[in-house]
Amino acid sequence: MYSKKFGRLILGFSTRCSTSVVNGTITSTRTTVSWTSVCKHHMQFLERRSQMGFAHVRIRSASKTTVDPNEVKRFQLLANKWWNEQGDFAALHSMNDLRVPFIRDHLLNAHGGRRPGKPLAGLRILDVGCGGGLLTEPLGRLGADVLGIDPVADSIGTAEVHAWHDPDLRGNVRYRAITLEELSEKGGQGAGQFDAVLASEVVEHLADLETFTLCCNQVLKPGGSLFITTINKTRLSYALAIVAAEEVLRIVPSGTHDWDKFVSPMELERLLESNGFHVESIRGMLYNPLSGAWSWTESTSINYALHAVKLEEEPNLDQDDPEDPTVIVAQAKARRWYS
């Protein structure tokens, strides 16, 4: 999240610093911005630490929980600020201009329109890490039955109070202070119940992406959609989200973001496809801190949106011809996905 106060600095840096990924290696051009060396030296430290085995392994952790207690404490302090459109969550408010149509259009392509004015009517959606309900509410207004969950009880309280003032939401939007893994437990109310799961600006705050992915698979119906927006793990995202915002200008409190928790589209796609999903689309997102608006971009070097679909239930492979090469490949993929 970036403030308008350093918009010109960010835009100037963005025009002079470019990043690319070649054979899995992040490269970056130098810039004349005075604090670039700070970013470069710290990035080199992070990379050396990773090569020596000291980096935290976030993708495949054995923690078996998605909740990071430090993140819970941080968002606890912000629980009453969710609906201040000019405050700490201003960028999330404006992000709805992209993420709501992104979610709506993919669901309409999969399910078709249900009702004029309520195109998502009849669909059940789970909003993970919903905070104050910034994304939950507009999807409820589109007719979907939306459940917003968050481990921060005070944020859920803020969301409930705000939704109560809109009579149109009372039959469509509900909230629970619960974790994703608690909801997804076998035999629980959330198992296999949802047509779509949302995790917008959430995964970069989680303790364990492996557990998150498995739980999303558990709560989705076969063929259900998973929507994620997050921050890429590049030098440019480090420079903007951490160095500029936290260490130099002190606009965002130090520690808001952890570069180790950022995940690249390639890593996220690999994780999802090894856990029963097929990634259908990835799109770059760009925030203009001067106008406060988001736009789509070809580059995924900073922010990006991803849509994945849960694979259908495992087919009965015994009925297929074991000599058919296509069947052999399909069987191998199915064993990998469902093992």
Side-chain angles (χ1 to χ4, degrees):
M1 186 177 299
Y2 316 113
S3 167
K4 294 181 180 179
K5 294 181 182 178
F6 62 102
R8 290 181 176 83
L9 175 60
I10 289 178
L11 291 180
F13 177 80
S14 298
T15 59
R16 288 174 292 190
C17 179
S18 61
T19 61
S20 61
V21 178
V22 180
N23 296 327
T25 302
I26 301 173
T27 60
S28 174
T29 59
R30 292 184 61 88
T31 176
T32 58
V33 177
S34 60
W35 44 264
T36 303
S37 59
V38 177
C39 173
K40 177 181 178 182
H41 291 318
H42 197 79
M43 284 291 299
Q44 290 174 344
F45 164 75
L46 290 172
E47 291 168 355
R48 287 197 302 270
R49 188 181 67 175
S50 177
Q51 293 169 359
M52 296 174 65
F54 294 124
H56 299 294
V57 180
R58 303 285 186 178
I59 300 264
R60 298 189 179 272
S61 169
S63 64
K64 302 303 180 185
T65 179
T66 60
V67 177
D68 184 331
N70 293 327
E71 299 283 0
V72 171
K73 293 178 183 178
R74 186 173 297 115
F75 282 99
Q76 184 78 35
L77 300 175
L78 301 170
N80 64 343
K81 300 181 179 181
W82 284 103
W83 288 99
N84 180 359
E85 296 186 15
Q86 304 302 320
D88 294 328
F89 298 111
L92 291 184
H93 281 273
S94 62
M95 188 185 286
N96 279 354
D97 292 339
L98 286 192
R99 57 184 179 175
V100 172
F102 181 74
I103 295 165
R104 178 200 63 202
D105 293 348
H106 278 290
L107 291 178
L108 289 178
N109 287 337
H111 302 279
R114 303 301 179 100
R115 225 170 70 198
K118 301 285 184 180
L120 301 184
L123 297 181
R124 296 196 65 194
I125 297 177
L126 177 65
D127 186 4
V128 179
C130 65
L134 274 59
L135 181 57
T136 316
E137 287 196 8
L139 294 173
R141 292 190 183 94
L142 292 175
D145 178 10
V146 191
L147 173 62
I149 64 172
D150 200 290
V152 181
D154 286 353
S155 291
I156 291 296
T158 297
E160 289 176 332
V161 170
H162 194 272
W164 184 85
H165 292 287
D166 189 342
D168 293 337
L169 295 176
R170 293 177 190 173
N172 296 84
V173 170
R174 296 173 297 117
Y175 294 101
R176 291 182 64 185
I178 190 174
T179 67
L180 176 60
E181 51 269 31
E182 289 170 339
L183 188 71
S184 66
E185 289 178 353
K186 290 185 177 180
Q189 296 179 349
Q193 297 297 310
F194 295 97
D195 299 288
V197 172
L198 322 176
S200 186
E201 306 308 295
V202 168
V203 301
E204 65 269 25
H205 300 289
L206 298 179
D208 185 354
L209 280 185
E210 179 79 8
T211 297
F212 164 79
T213 304
L214 293 173
C215 290
C216 287
N217 189 293
Q218 181 69 23
V219 300
L220 276 170
K221 299 175 182 178
S225 291
L226 173 62
F227 297 96
I228 294 173
T229 68
T230 189
I231 307 174
N232 198 349
K233 192 173 186 177
T234 64
R235 295 189 177 188
L236 184 57
S237 67
Y238 176 83
L240 298 184
I242 297 179
V243 175
E246 298 180 19
E247 299 179 15
V248 177
L249 300 176
R250 306 291 183 183
I251 296 171
V252 178
S254 180
T256 297
H257 293 109
D258 181 349
W259 191 79
D260 282 338
K261 286 185 175 181
F262 292 177
V263 58
S264 71
M266 184 183 301
E267 290 174 319
L268 189 54
E269 181 176 7
R270 184 165 55 244
L271 176 65
L272 291 170
E273 296 203 340
S274 66
N275 285 283
F277 287 94
H278 171 67
V279 174
E280 294 206 338
S281 67
I282 299 174
R283 300 187 67 181
M285 305 168 67
L286 181 64
Y287 180 63
N288 183 334
L290 297 179
S291 65
W294 289 85
S295 60
W296 295 115
T297 176
E298 293 183 1
S299 172
T300 60
S301 60
I302 306 175
N303 294 80
Y304 63 96
L306 177 148
H307 172 229
V309 174
K310 177 181 175 178
L311 298 173
E312 300 290 340
E313 297 293 345
E314 184 177 10
N316 184 355
L317 300 177
D318 294 336
Q319 297 179 355
D320 296 321
D321 179 7
E323 300 299 323
D324 187 344
T326 20
V327 173
I328 296 173
V329 173
Q331 288 176 338
K333 289 184 177 179
R335 291 190 188 98
R336 185 178 74 251
W337 285 327
Y338 293 95
S339 60

